[in-house]
Amino acid sequence: MSGCIFCRIIGGDIPSDTIYENEKVKVFKDISPAAPVHLIIVPKEHIDDINSLDAENANVIGDCMLAAKKAAAITGVSESGYRIISNVGEDAGQSVRHLHFHLVGGVPMGEKIL
Ligand code: 5GP
Ligand code: ZN
């Protein structure tokens, strides 16, 4: 297994504020929130980013979106709305090289958040 920071969070070596978890996906609060609700949705399988998806592993995206929907309900933003973002590479400012989605909400958002 990779020693990347999200793999260590998934493995329990680094504590996180978990909102939802199942066999395939973990959802936890971002350590540096950009909105009142700011969650990180990660597949438990280490995949670097969207560029590394292929026909074999792309099903993790559906798993992540189902977990996102559940986490949105748990954190109370299902009705008010939320945004899901995945940064890929340098220009997008990806800082953790383990595929993840940001779920942000709890405030009306302009175009610039994340
Ligand atoms: P990226 O910039 O790669 O799209 O997003 C990485 C996100 O992970 C950042 O928003 C950052 O605040 C968050 N993050 C980095 N390290 C940790 C950590 O140890 N715990 C938690 N909960 N979030 C982290
Ligand atoms: Zn990883």
Side-chain angles (χ1 to χ4, degrees):
M1 185 194 266
S2 158
C4 97
I5 192 159
F6 285 173
C7 281
R8 283 153 62 200
I9 287 173
I10 292 159
D13 298 342
I14 297 175
S16 65
D17 207 339
T18 303
I19 297 294
Y20 173 79
E21 185 168 12
N22 64 30
E23 194 190 323
K24 303 244 175 89
V25 180
K26 185 174 175 82
V27 183
F28 52 92
K29 290 188 183 175
D30 195 292
I31 203 167
S32 179
V37 174
H38 185 172
L39 310 178
I40 299 288
I41 299 146
V42 287
K44 291 189 173 178
E45 174 187 357
H46 180 97
I47 297 167
D48 282 352
D49 57 30
I50 287 174
N51 283 338
S52 304
L53 286 174
D54 56 31
E56 301 295 311
N57 62 19
N59 59 319
V60 301
I61 301 301
D63 297 327
C64 283
M65 291 304 108
L66 287 172
K69 173 182 151 181
K70 289 197 168 103
I74 290 164
T75 54
V77 297
S78 292
E79 300 305 319
S80 51
Y82 53 93
R83 183 173 289 166
I84 294 175
I85 294 166
S86 188
N87 293 316
V88 182
E90 198 175 333
D91 279 359
Q94 183 181 7
S95 61
V96 178
R97 205 139 191 261
H98 179 131
L99 173 65
H100 58 279
F101 296 91
H102 297 256
L103 185 159
V104 287
V107 68
M109 286 170 279
E111 294 175 1
K112 289 275 177 159
I113 200 161
L114 285 178

